[in-house]
Amino acid sequence: MRLYLRRLASARILAEVSKEPFEFQAIRYAANYAKIQSVAELVSKLFSPYIERYRNEYDASDLTPTERATRIITEFLEKNNSDKTFNKKQRIILIAADFDEQTLSACAWLVHNHVDISCLQIQPMKVENQLFLHVNRLLPVQKLDDYFVEVADTGKSLAKVDGELKINRTYLPRMDKLFEWGIIQQGDILSIKGYKDSEATAINPKNIEYKGQKLSYNQWGQRVTGWSSICIYQWAISQRHGELLDTLRKERLLQDMNENEGAKGEP
DNA sequence: TAAGCTCATCAAGTATCCCT
DNA sequence: AGGGATACTTGATGAGCTTA
């Protein structure tokens, strides 16, 4: 944490020295780092020089900075089960004691245009002899809708049986929501798990192009597998993410749930 | 024997048509 | 235009099968 705060301070100083607003600096960093494709590239361009420079922060050992950097990153990715999704998506989180109106306005516009950027206000607090950090998420704003528990969130939906409402099935987000969340984008390549030559290009939430033909997602899945029916989310893999759509939407739901709980738990 | 996988079934959602 | 009936599409579910 200490190291992190010092880096934050460095970034702030850098922003002040360069006279560049720090939100734009963050975007520039995200865009630059988005080009990094592999752990080796990350190690050689960033982490190894960092270890070389701040050698005293690490325990003495026989490892070279490159070996040490590679080991740290690989262990981190394995521990977080992220080795297959390494640097597939960039997220910008701006943290400061306060934000000026121009920064908030620029970030709000980016959020509105589906850029994954958040503004967190962090203020240290002292209550009696204890120190706390008060974290307040300023952007994206918490919508009233986010506090409603939807049918999908409960994991079950209601169905009419013999004139009575009964809980009978789960209802998970569908293609339109996956597009809205950016999990699938126009032009993304999808394939069916275990089926060669099943690659197709996403057109919109309704259609996908497969071998020059515009089909629904289900039609595509049925055609590739030869089955009479398919739950496409459990079979379609996004090449960009390297994961099943079902996994991706569940991860997103979990992330939303955690963020909501975090926001509700704030003082 | 438990866990995971496959795939058909069928309820729910959506689109279209037709009647008023 | 509105609403009811019908057809079509979607996808959660669970039975049966396979694997460890």
Side-chain angles (χ1 to χ4, degrees):
Chain A
M1 188 63 179
R2 190 161 44 85
L3 176 69
Y4 180 58
L5 288 174
R6 201 174 73 202
R7 294 289 165 271
L8 273 179
S10 311
R12 182 61 189 260
I13 291 163
L14 196 62
E16 280 170 6
V17 168
S18 67
K19 297 294 174 197
E20 181 185 20
F22 85 122
E23 71 274 22
F24 295 120
Q25 198 171 37
I27 292 164
R28 195 161 51 78
Y29 278 139
N32 287 341
Y33 296 159
K35 293 177 190 168
I36 293 171
Q37 298 292 321
S38 64
V39 171
E41 203 179 342
L42 176 65
V43 165
S44 69
K45 285 185 177 170
L46 295 166
F47 201 21
S48 175
Y50 176 90
I51 290 178
E52 187 79 57
R53 189 173 168 187
Y54 297 100
R55 202 177 274 275
N56 58 329
E57 288 176 3
Y58 297 87
D59 299 332
S61 81
D62 295 337
L63 295 175
T64 65
T66 303
E67 286 168 345
R68 187 192 284 267
T70 307
R71 190 169 291 188
I72 292 171
I73 292 174
T74 307
E75 279 173 14
F76 175 82
L77 292 174
E78 281 172 2
K79 200 181 289 180
N80 290 280
N81 207 16
S82 306
D83 42 336
K84 285 180 185 164
T85 55
F86 172 74
N87 208 25
K88 297 279 184 199
K89 192 183 174 205
Q90 283 66 46
R91 186 178 197 191
I92 301 168
I93 302 174
L94 303 179
I95 303 171
D98 206 358
F99 291 86
D100 60 51
E101 284 182 7
Q102 278 189 331
T103 302
L104 288 175
S105 169
C107 292
W109 183 82
L110 289 167
V111 169
H112 182 71
N113 285 280
H114 310 297
V115 175
D116 197 351
I117 185 167
S118 312
C119 295
L120 301 182
Q121 186 181 45
I122 295 188
Q123 291 171 322
M125 293 167 73
K126 191 173 183 182
V127 179
E128 293 177 353
N129 286 329
Q130 287 187 294
L131 291 169
F132 295 94
L133 277 179
H134 176 220
V135 183
N136 184 23
R137 192 179 85 179
L138 301 177
L139 283 172
V141 289
Q142 203 74 16
K143 294 178 291 183
L144 277 177
D145 288 359
D146 294 342
Y147 291 93
F148 288 113
V149 178
E150 290 184 35
V151 174
D153 289 346
T154 65
K156 297 286 173 187
S157 72
L158 300 172
K160 246 183 181 173
V161 180
D162 297 334
E164 280 181 56
L165 283 173
K166 292 185 177 176
I167 292 166
N168 80 337
R169 65 193 287 165
T170 311
Y171 229 81
L172 296 166
R174 298 188 179 189
M175 289 297 177
D176 50 350
K177 203 70 188 174
L178 300 196
F179 266 79
E180 191 186 311
W181 284 342
I183 289 174
I184 310 177
Q185 292 170 358
Q186 187 183 13
D188 274 0
I189 306 294
L190 305 181
S191 59
I192 300 290
K193 182 178 69 179
Y195 286 83
K196 287 177 183 173
D197 301 327
S198 60
E199 282 84 6
T201 310
I203 301 171
N204 55 40
K206 295 263 176 223
N207 302 107
I208 191 160
E209 191 181 313
Y210 175 59
K211 291 184 175 171
Q213 277 191 299
K214 191 175 172 181
L215 304 168
S216 73
Y217 287 84
N218 264 41
Q219 283 171 339
W220 163 59
Q222 287 168 301
R223 188 163 297 187
V224 169
T225 59
W227 303 340
S228 62
S229 160
I230 186 170
C231 179
I232 202 70
Y233 303 96
Q234 288 168 7
W235 289 91
I237 298 170
S238 159
Q239 285 200 353
R240 188 158 54 90
H241 296 95
E243 293 276 6
L244 287 171
L245 299 184
D246 191 49
T247 310
L248 293 168
R249 70 177 171 179
K250 281 176 180 164
E251 278 174 4
R252 171 64 195 236
L253 279 173
L254 205 64
Q255 182 191 328
D256 278 4
M257 241 162 64
N258 290 340
E259 281 178 8
N260 281 348
E261 276 174 18
K264 285 170 196 172
E266 283 169 16

